[in-house]
Amino acid sequence: MFTGIVEELGTVAGIEDQGDAVRLTITAETVLSDAELGASISVNGCCLTVATLGENEWTADVMLETLKRTSLHTISAGDLVNLERAVTPSTRLGGHIVQGHVDGVGRIVSREPSEHWEVVTISIEPELARYVVEKGSIAVDGISLTVVSVTEDAFTVSLIPETLARTSLGFRAVGDEVNLETDIIAKHVEKLLGGVRS
């Protein structure tokens, strides 16, 4: 489990094609300070397992299913990625409950900069939009964000300078794919109510 508070931007150092999977090599510092083999690290919102550890790099195996369902199939060597270690019982929950299980992929539709923030509109599939509410939380590439507005096929978020400077959303362009994880609580409530939809 994660909080959606990005700890650092890592760099994709290599991508090894393994046929039905890829092995990612990512350089990092902060998330490796206490990492062990088998640890979970969120990469652009995808929970990946540490397969090997080096001094300033680590590898993770990404299965075909993950490549099909996330934007990880679009990354290249040299790309910056959002990284966050799994929470511990003593971790402050600064964002919201994020599982690292991507629900779908959206695209950046527009960016509207202003003096102190930037409003970003992101597309979302209608079957996921039902879990998104104004002033609710959503994880975009693993970043815990507050929803400003939502329609059947898009939502907007306002990004403060800190988010723009410390995460990949600072340089994502219109048309780029991003990983989306909706609020797990909304999905559980729907199931408990027998799948009732408004």
Side-chain angles (χ1 to χ4, degrees):
M1 189 173 79
F2 306 92
T3 70
I5 304 299
V6 174
E7 294 186 272
E8 73 176 308
L9 283 168
T11 302
V12 178
I15 303 174
E16 178 188 341
D17 188 349
Q18 298 180 324
D20 62 349
V22 298
R23 176 163 277 201
L24 292 181
T25 301
I26 299 172
T27 60
E29 292 181 17
T30 303
V31 298
L32 297 183
S33 64
D34 59 355
E36 299 176 348
L37 295 179
S40 295
I41 296 178
S42 171
V43 178
N44 281 357
C46 302
C47 179
L48 299 181
T49 301
V50 175
T52 67
L53 269 174
E55 186 175 333
N56 286 312
E57 68 178 31
W58 62 287
T59 65
D61 296 313
V62 185
M63 302 296 102
L64 185 60
E65 178 73 6
T66 304
L67 293 171
K68 285 180 179 178
R69 291 182 174 266
T70 73
S71 67
L72 288 184
H73 69 275
T74 67
I75 63 174
S76 303
D79 285 356
L80 296 176
V81 290
N82 297 319
L83 302 177
E84 180 190 356
R85 290 172 286 190
V87 299
T88 64
S90 62
T91 304
R92 287 189 177 94
L93 188 60
H96 71 286
I97 297 172
V98 177
Q99 294 183 295
H101 303 161
V102 173
D103 292 311
V105 175
R107 287 188 185 274
I108 296 181
V109 176
S110 66
R111 300 187 69 126
E112 300 173 33
S114 71
E115 185 178 356
H116 298 292
W117 69 85
E118 186 167 340
V119 176
V120 178
T121 301
I122 300 170
S123 68
I124 189 169
E125 294 296 324
E127 62 267 18
L128 293 181
R130 71 177 183 263
Y131 302 121
V132 181
V133 297
E134 288 185 14
K135 305 301 178 271
S137 297
I138 190 165
V140 178
D141 270 355
I143 307 161
S144 176
L145 298 172
T146 301
V147 176
V148 174
S149 64
V150 62
T151 65
E152 288 184 1
D153 61 1
F155 65 93
T156 61
V157 290
S158 290
L159 305 181
I160 60 174
E162 178 74 1
T163 304
L164 292 169
R166 293 180 53 91
T167 75
S168 63
L169 283 181
F171 53 82
R172 290 271 189 234
V174 170
D176 283 356
E177 290 186 352
V178 289
N179 293 317
L180 304 176
E181 182 183 333
T182 59
D183 191 344
I184 185 64
I185 296 171
K187 291 182 276 190
H188 280 296
V189 168
E190 180 182 82
K191 183 172 182 180
L192 289 170
L193 292 174
V196 176
R197 297 181 191 171
S198 58

